[in-house]
Structure formats: structure tokens, C-alpha cells
Amino acid sequence: LSEVRYWIPSSEDDPSAWRRSGFDDGAWFKGQGSLGYDRATPPTLLTFIDSSFEDAVLGNASTVLSRYQIEVTEDQKLLRLRLRYDDGLVFYLNGRLILRGNAPSRLDYRSRASRPRPTDEVLDVDTLVLRRSDGLRTGKNILAFQMLNSRSTDRDFLLSIRADLIQQRDHI
């Protein structure tokens, strides 16, 4: 995945429209690849971060909304995602809830991760394989993530994604 759009939500933002494919994210910040920052000593997540949003987020927000777009052809039946995240996330594919990781049951623009994640958990890759039955479709697909930190002043924040489109099940 290359271009990502991200936003620091406020009470004025619609809490669910951003998850769906028809949403206009043209006013959102632009980045490339994985998002985050790492102010830890020593830093352990920097190698996974393509676009830093430290200046906008650190000390200001514990929630960041992000959207990736991926085009799927008719013969591509599966999407494999390899994720690393700190501290929590909620993932939607075309508006459909796919994964909750270390997230509270109720979400809003101020949500925080349920707890800080230890570095060894963050560095472990979570692999998801999405199928047509999960909402993967031919054409444009939106991968929407509500990224959650344990607090706005936390020294690190990460959403690292690697994606592969697969034609047949036996190639996983």
C-alpha cells in the first residue's frame, strides 16, 4: 500500500462515514505507507515507519483515522495483510468491521487503546487473509483504521501494513 490519508478526529466529525468507500478524504493529510512516530530510547519502531505524524499527533491525540485504497481485479480473490500496531486499532474493509485489537468496546474521537502493548507484541506480525466473503470486491476497496494510542503523550505510535493480492488460495 502506498498513499495513505489520515486525520485527527474531533467532536464535529461523523463517527462512521469515514470508514466507507464513498467518503471524501480530500482534506485529510497525505502520507506514504506506514504511519507513526517513535520517541522511545532507544527507538524500536523507526524501521517500520514510512510517514511520521509526530508533530500533529504527539501530545494532541490518542486517536488517528487512516484510509488506504487498494484496487482488486476480478482474478484476485484474496488480500493478505501483515500488520504491526501500537497500541490498538479497529480495522474496517469497505465499512465492514474486520478486526478489533486492544480497543475499547465503544469508540469516539477521543478513544484510547485498552492498555499499552509491550514492544514484543508490537513487533509480532498479525496476518489477516481477507476474502470476498469478508467484503473484498473487484475495483476500489477502502481499508480504514482507527489507530489508538494508550494516551496522547505516549512516546510511540504505529500502524505498519504490508499487503499482497493473491489469485488462488494455495499461494498463501
Side-chain angles (χ1 to χ4, degrees), residues 12 24 27 37 40-41 52 56 66 89 117-118 123 128 133 136 142 144 149 165-166 172:
E12 297 173 11
D24 179 7
Y37 58 82
T41 307
S52 174
S66 61
L89 64 75
R117 287 184 81 209
L123 296 177
L128 298 174
S133 61
L136 188 67
I142 297 296
N149 220 345
L165 287 163
I166 303 169
I172 293 179

Side-chain angles (χ1 to χ4, degrees), residues 138-150:
T138 299
K140 180 172 95 170
N141 288 264
I142 297 296
L143 285 63
F145 295 86
Q146 183 163 353
M147 302 169 61
L148 304 166
N149 220 345
S150 58

Side-chain angles (χ1 to χ4, degrees), residues 82-139:
R82 291 176 301 246
L83 305 171
R84 287 186 176 93
Y85 61 93
D86 180 39
D87 285 307
L89 64 75
V90 181
F91 166 47
Y92 303 89
L93 174 63
N94 298 318
R96 177 191 255 182
L97 177 64
I98 301 294
L99 173 71
R100 296 178 80 86
N102 197 26
S105 58
R106 199 169 168 171
L107 295 170
D108 66 24
Y109 70 98
R110 298 168 301 191
S111 292
R112 298 183 311 176
S114 301
R115 63 176 174 78
R117 287 184 81 209
T119 302
D120 59 328
E121 283 183 31
V122 173
L123 296 177
D124 283 343
V125 175
D126 290 336
T127 301
L128 298 174
V129 178
L130 303 173
R131 298 163 175 76
R132 300 294 174 149
S133 61
D134 295 315
L136 188 67
R137 58 185 177 221
T138 299

Side-chain angles (χ1 to χ4, degrees), residues 8 34-40 43-64 86-87 122 147-159:
I8 301 166
S34 299
L35 295 171
Y37 58 82
D38 190 353
R39 302 273 303 181
T44 55
L45 305 179
L46 284 179
T47 58
F48 304 110
I49 298 169
D50 300 314
S51 296
S52 174
F53 54 35
E54 178 179 348
D55 292 342
V57 176
L58 182 58
N60 297 316
S62 57
T63 291
V64 174
D86 180 39
D87 285 307
V122 173
M147 302 169 61
L148 304 166
N149 220 345
S150 58
R151 62 188 189 282
S152 66
T153 57
D154 196 3
R155 66 183 189 255
D156 53 16
F157 207 169
L158 176 69
L159 176 59

